Amino acid sequence: MSSRPDLSRRSLLRAAGASGLALGAGGLLSACGSSDSSGSESGAAGAKSATVKVALGWIKNVEFAGFWLADYKGYYAEENLTVQFQAGGPNTPDPTQSVSAGSADLGVHANMQTLLQSIPKGNDFSLLGAVFQTSPGGLLSLAADPVTEPKDLLGAKVLGQQGTQPLIDAVLTRAGLKKDYSFTPVGYDVSPLVQKQGKAYTCFLTNQPITLETKYGMKKGKDYDVVTYADLGLPAYSSIVFCKRSMLRKQADVLERFLRATVRGWQDNAKDPEAAAKLAVTKYGVDLGLDLKQQVRENELQIPFTQSALTKRKGLLRLDEKLLAGDMYGGLKAAGVKELPDASKIVDQSVLDAVFGGKATV
């Protein structure tokens, strides 16, 4: 989600490749390693020190704003945790692979479909929470001929990254409409849409719209429109936090401490979008050449996706098991996904229940 249309969306790179919704010995915590072997206790609750390795699903940009704030502000340290973030992106292992192999303890996966499909393949993962309650994947169109609902796609030419066509098929299938449209593969450059080579462009709503604003001087509502796949009938979570079930059994206290600090970071991020953007540019993603203005804008756009009616009642990162098993699975099946795990067996509410203690904030 930067000044890099070419790096722009692993959801649309990986998810698309899997024709899904844009929507991986250790294996347990490194807490069992050097820092924990001493058995030292400190921190506010006298918890044992632990090192947690986290495999990210993308490069270290502002997409992980809450994690950066939790680390920089010392929230993890207050929980007596040392957190090591492993960058994702091109030519890096998928988080499901890292967690499965034990090179990471936790994963933060952008692509719900890829994560879910990895479970029937022998990975005993538990889903603990989701940063993005609504995946920012969706469609971009010009205001003069907008796409705001499924029927607007009928007879349209859709510009999309390779592999995203099943998403359009699923939108129309879920809406009970015929697959009456044409599809033209394009990259991550929005110029074909600006040049009116098609009616809709598959995008990540926290990325390509910024290019329209900065490069072409366009304004949302006046010059262009956006619509999420969720608005089109394909809801999905994104940036899902997951671990091996064995960790949940043996290290629930560490998971609770990690998620409590993480929630605090994301709560702070909602109040000040610029702070985490600066950290992404100057510290965590310093080698990426990120643009501060773009990162601030991306963060402003992504914050609403971290919130939902459920998070307002029960706190950030919350998962709705019924929504996952219902409309989310329905959308995946409409996109051609055939084998999905039992949602009731993979979603775990206990850690966040402990974090929030019946409240909506920590």
Side-chain angles (χ1 to χ4, degrees):
M1 320 189 269
S2 118
S3 50
R4 43 85 171 130
D6 55 321
L7 287 180
S8 62
R9 211 52 234 157
R10 78 258 115 170
S11 313
L12 298 176
L13 286 168
R14 289 186 185 134
S19 66
L21 295 180
L23 291 184
L28 257 53
L29 278 177
S30 302
C32 302
S34 60
S35 64
D36 210 15
S37 60
S38 64
S40 62
E41 294 192 1
S42 61
K48 288 186 177 181
S49 60
T51 297
V52 185
K53 297 178 181 178
V54 182
L56 304 176
W58 189 236
I59 59 174
K60 293 182 178 181
N61 67 356
V62 78
E63 177 175 340
F64 304 102
F67 297 98
W68 305 151
L69 289 171
D71 186 52
Y72 184 77
K73 290 189 171 186
Y75 296 160
Y76 293 125
E78 289 177 17
E79 299 288 350
N80 215 1
L81 299 176
T82 298
V83 181
Q84 299 175 356
F85 294 103
Q86 303 170 1
N91 304 315
T92 64
D94 186 85
T96 58
Q97 296 173 326
S98 298
V99 175
S100 179
S103 57
D105 307 306
L106 290 166
V108 182
H109 212 300
N111 186 332
M112 185 180 75
Q113 177 190 322
T114 300
L115 174 57
L116 292 172
Q117 286 189 296
S118 75
I119 296 175
K121 295 177 181 178
N123 292 301
D124 194 14
F125 294 148
S126 290
L127 280 53
L128 307 178
V131 173
F132 297 115
Q133 297 292 295
T134 299
S135 170
L139 296 176
L140 189 60
S141 59
L142 300 180
D145 190 16
V147 172
T148 60
E149 53 186 326
K151 69 178 183 180
D152 295 332
L153 291 168
L154 295 176
K157 178 182 286 187
V158 178
L159 308 169
Q161 294 73 34
Q162 186 176 1
T164 56
Q165 187 169 358
L167 292 170
I168 309 303
D169 289 346
V171 166
L172 295 172
T173 297
R174 293 279 285 172
L177 301 172
K178 293 182 178 181
K179 299 174 185 178
D180 177 20
Y181 73 99
S182 62
F183 185 87
T184 301
V186 296
Y188 294 95
D189 181 358
V190 296
S191 59
L193 177 67
V194 177
Q195 296 165 4
K196 299 181 180 180
Q197 295 179 23
K199 180 174 182 176
Y201 174 92
T202 62
C203 74
F204 207 70
L205 272 61
T206 54
N207 193 322
Q208 283 85 1
I210 301 177
T211 302
L212 291 184
E213 296 172 357
T214 58
K215 183 176 180 179
Y216 297 99
M218 294 185 174
K219 295 183 178 180
K220 182 181 177 182
K222 177 183 178 182
D223 303 301
Y224 75 88
D225 283 295
V226 293
V227 62
T228 65
Y229 287 122
D231 291 332
L232 295 172
L234 303 181
Y237 288 121
S238 186
S239 285
I240 300 171
V241 181
F242 69 100
C243 67
K244 286 183 178 179
R245 192 179 302 273
S246 57
M247 177 188 294
L248 183 60
R249 292 195 305 265
K250 300 177 182 180
Q251 301 288 343
D253 64 317
V254 180
L255 292 173
E256 178 184 341
R257 288 148 57 193
F258 174 81
L259 286 182
R260 180 164 47 243
T262 298
V263 167
R264 292 177 66 190
W266 281 104
Q267 287 176 171
D268 288 355
N269 186 59
K271 302 172 186 176
D272 182 8
E274 188 173 346
K278 288 181 178 178
L279 289 175
V281 172
T282 64
K283 180 175 173 63
Y284 297 94
V286 67
D287 296 329
L288 298 174
L290 301 171
D291 178 77
L292 178 58
K293 184 177 180 180
Q294 188 280 337
Q295 290 286 281
V296 172
R297 182 58 176 148
E298 181 173 329
N299 202 14
E300 291 172 344
L301 291 174
Q302 77 180 2
I303 287 172
F305 291 105
T306 68
Q307 302 163 351
S308 66
L310 178 61
T311 63
K312 291 178 181 178
R313 297 195 315 270
K314 302 186 68 175
L316 295 176
L317 275 67
R318 286 291 193 169
L319 292 169
D320 186 334
E321 182 183 309
K322 292 183 179 180
L323 176 61
L324 178 64
D327 286 343
M328 290 188 181
Y329 271 22
L332 286 168
K333 291 174 181 177
V337 179
K338 299 184 182 301
E339 191 174 4
L340 292 166
D342 185 336
S344 66
K345 295 182 179 179
I346 62 171
V347 174
D348 180 84
Q349 306 282 4
S350 65
V351 181
L352 285 178
D353 282 347
V355 166
F356 288 104
K359 300 182 294 183
T361 59
V362 296

